[in-house]
Structures are given as C-alpha cells and as structure tokens.
Amino acid sequence: MERLKFLRGDKTIWAMICLLAIASFLPVYSASTNLVYTIGKGSTLGYLFKHFVHLGIGLFIAWFVHKMHYEKFKKFAVLGMPLVIALLVYTLTQGKTIGGANASRWIEIPFIGMSFQTSTFAFIVLMVYVARTLAKLKDTDYTFQESLIKLWLPVGAVLIFILPTNFSTTALIFAMVCMLVFVGHYPLKYLGYIFAMAIAGLMLFFLLAKAFPGNKLFSRVNTWVSRVENFTTDKPGEDDYQIEKSKIAIASGKIYGLGPGKSVQKNFLPQSSSDFIYAIIVEEYGLLGGFGLIFIYLILFFRFLIRSNKAPSLFGRLLIVGLGFPIIFQAFINMGVAVELLPVTGQPLPLISSGGTSIWMTCLSLGIILSVTKKDDEIAADLKEQQQREEALQRLIEKEVAVMNEEEFNEEANVNQQKINDMKYSIRESLKEEINTEGDSLVNGQNPMNAVLNKK
C-alpha cells in the first residue's frame, strides 16, 4: 500500500478501473481487424497503440482530477455551462452529415485532427451543475418557478441541442437528471410537472419533424422510429444485420469461448470494436468472460452505493450518484443491445470500447468520484503537497527576482563605472588641452620659469 500513496480515494474503485483498462486490450486488438480489412485503413497494432494512448490519457485525467477537492467543481460547473451550450450549438450547426442524415455529434479539435463528442462532456458538466443546484436549494424554500429557472432551464437547453442528433443520449441524460433530483429530495409534485413538460416537448418535436421532413434537424427521426418498430415488431431493417451477427457471436462463444483472437464474427459485425464489442468478448471468452465483465461493473456499482452513503456532504453524494450510476447504466445498455434486450442505441462499453472521447469522459467522471471518496488524511496530504508546490514555486520566483535584481544592480554599477571612466577621460583631455595651450607661450619650448631666469 505504501507504493500506492499517490492514488487517493477508494482503492477498490481504482482496482476496477485498472482491471477494465487491462481487460480491454485483447478485445480491441482482436476486433480492430474489422477496421483493417473491411475499411482498409491502418493496422491492428496501430489501433492497439491508439487505444493504449487513449487509455493512458484517460488514466492521467482521472489521476489529475482526483487530486483536486471536489468542492472546486462547483465553480467549474457554473463557468462551464455557457461553454457547453456554445459547443453544442456549434456542433449542431456545423453541417456534418453521414449518409444524408444529420449525425453532427463530433467536432474536430484544431491542430490535432482528432474528433470530440461534445454531448459526453456536456453530460458531465450538467450533472455537476445539477448536483450543485440541488445542494444549494436544499436548505431553502423554493417554488416550482424558481427551480424551473435555476435548475431546469439549463437542463432543457442542453437536451434541446443534443436531441436532434442523438435521441438515446438525450433520453439517458434526462433519466439520470431525474434520478439525481429524486435522490436530492426534489418534490415529487414538481418532478411530475417536469415529466409532463418533457413529454409535451418531445411530442412537439416529432410533430415538427412530420411537418418539415426535409429539414436537416429532423433527419434522424425516421431512423429512431424504424429502430423502435424493428425492435418491437421484428420487422426487417438495417439494424437486423448487426443484431443477428451479434447473437451469432454470443452463441458461438458458449461457456468457455473460442479463445483470444479467434472470433469469426468480428470480420462481419460493424462497430465490433466499439458498440458491439461485448459480443466479441463473449465469443472469444465465453459466458465466463461475459459474466466476469458484468461482475466487475457490479462491484463498481456497489462501491458507488457505499461511497455515496459515506459522502461528507449532499453535494458529494449527488456527484457520486450523478456521475457513477450512468457509467453502470451505459454498460448494461451496451450489453442489452448486444443480446437484443434493447434497440440499437450506439452507446459504447465504458473503458472497454475503443474511442477517445468515451474513455476520457468516463475517466473524468471517475476522477471526480474518487475526489469525493478521499479520506481526511488524504485530503490533508494533498493540501500539504499543494502547499509544498506553492512554496517551491515561490522560492523559484524569489530566486529569479534576486537574479534579475542582481543583473540590474550589476548593469547599474557598470553604467556608473562607465560614467566615472568618461569623467576621468574628460578631465585628462581637458588637462591636456590646457597644457598644450600654455605650451604655445613658451620660448623655444622652454618652461616659463626658465624664460624668467634667462631674462635676468
């Protein structure tokens, strides 16, 4: 344990994070052959290295964030909400289309060439903002109108800008916010009003989609409707191919699996390294591997429950619930899609699926949760380290200032010395001129005294 002093917070959560990260390498390496041979881009080692870099950056984010005190995230959430809404508006209006349908979920990071899914970042900022607002409203008597402005107006703004391109993420965010406000003792009567308003807003959105079918904002509606119809009525559709291949992969795995790297369906199953990676895991590692992965997520879930009950404040408790539970729900949604318990949603498997944004935002959430789970001695150790860094920085600044002052002093001394030297030089030149002037009155270059003596 002495070697793990640099890791604060719940050690079981840290262990599960590392275990999931390690377990992801072989499935990603195996499933990436689909991208190599069907798309014809890159190599399996290249995709493995890319996944390694994404995980490395993600774990660093978790470590860096967990060193901070969780109360600081209140300010970040307030400042981050306008930024998040601006990013969502830009993402929605940038005009990217896939197959003629609006799928503007990503933006390109300048100078890097990497894509970033803004909705996942917006989700984290929104959950922290909701937790902060609920903790602030807890000890006050507020009306529904006040909560509507302070709490639900920012939530509605975020959901409105995500809905046109990603219905499943919008539904997940709304469900998680409702769960969080329920845990935060928000009046059930007010929550009922919100449900009614949400249903009315969704119906209005679908009516507008029917009225303006050619508008780019509503181009994904037909896809959502067809997916639900295909799922509920077994009507043939474009998602059937993915589901059938996923079920074949799961059935082929049986109990012990075909073995690492021996999946057959990875060559035919689209998104085998991201949305349907659970099917590849079961095919290669069998039901034992599939249930083992479920067990790890369940351990995380129970640690979140335990730590939320031990949280030092309501804000900390809401942070763990609002950021931890969605990770578990997202994992089970991904698994449910693979076995056709749920319609296709496009949700990745946290810390397992390839993809930078998903990994980074999951690690950011886990870092905030670990920050809440730190003990008093660990918080004191972090404060001591911070104080030592500040003192070291202050010493460095003082040293630089001393060097600068010394350089200025030396420069000033050199200037003064130069002035003295110039004065000496000027005096010498003046004396020389006087001597030369007196010399002009001499007789044959004699000294004036000699001239007087000779005159006598």
Side-chain angles (χ1 to χ4, degrees), residues 421-437:
N421 293 336
D422 291 342
M423 290 176 63
K424 291 180 178 179
Y425 177 78
S426 178
I427 292 171
R428 284 197 301 270
E429 291 297 320
S430 298
L431 290 173
K432 287 181 180 179
E433 290 179 2
E434 290 180 4
I435 293 173
N436 291 335
T437 302

Side-chain angles (χ1 to χ4, degrees), residues 92-160:
L92 184 63
T93 59
Q94 66 167 328
K96 280 190 176 181
T97 58
I98 298 177
N102 182 21
S104 302
R105 306 178 188 180
W106 297 269
I107 58 174
E108 293 292 331
I109 301 177
F111 310 111
I112 299 179
M114 295 181 61
S115 59
F116 180 78
Q117 192 170 1
T118 53
S119 60
T120 55
F121 178 64
F123 172 71
I124 295 176
V125 176
L126 180 63
M127 297 304 283
V128 177
Y129 177 84
V130 171
R132 169 197 172 274
T133 306
L134 289 172
K136 191 175 181 180
L137 293 175
K138 176 181 178 293
D139 298 326
T140 61
D141 294 329
Y142 57 91
T143 63
F144 175 70
Q145 289 77 10
E146 291 174 342
S147 68
L148 193 64
I149 295 173
K150 295 180 180 179
L151 177 61
W152 294 106
L153 187 60
V155 173
V158 171
L159 295 179
I160 285 173

Side-chain angles (χ1 to χ4, degrees), residues 100-101 164 182 192 213-214 295 311 419 435:
F182 176 78
F295 182 68
K419 289 181 179 179
I435 293 173

Side-chain angles (χ1 to χ4, degrees), residues 247-317:
K247 290 193 294 185
I248 292 173
I250 292 173
S252 301
K254 298 181 181 179
I255 297 178
Y256 301 105
L258 302 178
K262 296 182 179 180
S263 169
V264 176
Q265 299 305 316
K266 66 184 179 183
N267 299 313
F268 307 101
L269 182 60
Q271 305 298 328
S272 59
S273 62
S274 54
D275 297 351
F276 287 91
I277 195 169
Y278 184 70
I280 304 302
I281 292 174
V282 176
E283 184 180 11
E284 294 187 351
Y285 301 95
L287 291 177
L288 293 179
F291 283 125
L293 194 60
I294 293 174
F295 182 68
I296 295 175
Y297 284 116
L298 286 176
I299 292 177
L300 271 179
F301 178 70
F302 287 117
R303 292 308 299 176
F304 293 155
L305 279 176
I306 294 171
R307 283 300 185 172
S308 64
N309 290 326
K310 294 182 179 180
S313 65
L314 177 61
F315 177 63
R317 183 180 307 115

Side-chain angles (χ1 to χ4, degrees), residues 44-249:
T44 53
L45 286 177
Y47 283 109
L48 180 64
F49 179 74
K50 185 177 180 180
H51 182 66
F52 175 79
V53 171
H54 288 161
L55 276 175
I57 295 174
L59 293 176
F60 174 78
I61 291 173
W63 175 84
F64 179 80
V65 171
H66 100 290
K67 301 282 285 184
M68 304 171 62
H69 196 282
Y70 69 92
E71 290 287 343
K72 293 183 178 180
F73 298 112
K74 290 181 178 180
K75 297 180 180 179
F76 294 155
V78 174
L79 297 175
M81 283 303 298
L83 174 63
V84 159
I85 294 175
L87 285 174
L88 291 175
V89 172
Y90 174 75
T91 306
L92 184 63
T93 59
Q94 66 167 328
K96 280 190 176 181
T97 58
I98 298 177
N102 182 21
S104 302
R105 306 178 188 180
W106 297 269
I107 58 174
E108 293 292 331
I109 301 177
F111 310 111
I112 299 179
M114 295 181 61
S115 59
F116 180 78
Q117 192 170 1
T118 53
S119 60
T120 55
F121 178 64
F123 172 71
I124 295 176
V125 176
L126 180 63
M127 297 304 283
V128 177
Y129 177 84
V130 171
R132 169 197 172 274
T133 306
L134 289 172
K136 191 175 181 180
L137 293 175
K138 176 181 178 293
D139 298 326
T140 61
D141 294 329
Y142 57 91
T143 63
F144 175 70
Q145 289 77 10
E146 291 174 342
S147 68
L148 193 64
I149 295 173
K150 295 180 180 179
L151 177 61
W152 294 106
L153 187 60
V155 173
V158 171
L159 295 179
I160 285 173
F161 293 121
I162 297 178
L163 177 60
T165 60
N166 200 333
F167 177 76
S168 61
T169 299
T170 305
L172 179 63
I173 292 176
F174 180 72
M176 293 299 100
V177 170
C178 290
M179 177 198 66
L180 191 60
V181 298
F182 176 78
V183 174
H185 306 292
Y186 187 73
L188 293 180
K189 180 175 67 174
Y190 294 170
L191 190 57
Y193 297 157
I194 295 299
F195 272 114
M197 294 172 65
I199 294 173
L202 189 60
M203 291 178 62
L204 177 61
F205 180 81
F206 279 100
L207 288 175
L208 291 174
K210 292 294 183 181
F212 304 98
N215 194 297
K216 186 179 70 173
L217 292 176
F218 309 115
S219 59
R220 295 282 296 176
V221 173
N222 292 332
T223 302
W224 306 336
V225 173
S226 63
R227 283 180 174 178
V228 174
E229 289 180 351
N230 296 340
F231 177 75
T232 56
T233 62
D234 291 332
K235 180 181 176 181
E238 60 180 351
D239 293 329
D240 283 350
Y241 178 80
Q242 293 175 306
I243 295 297
E244 290 300 323
K245 294 299 179 182
S246 176
K247 290 193 294 185
I248 292 173

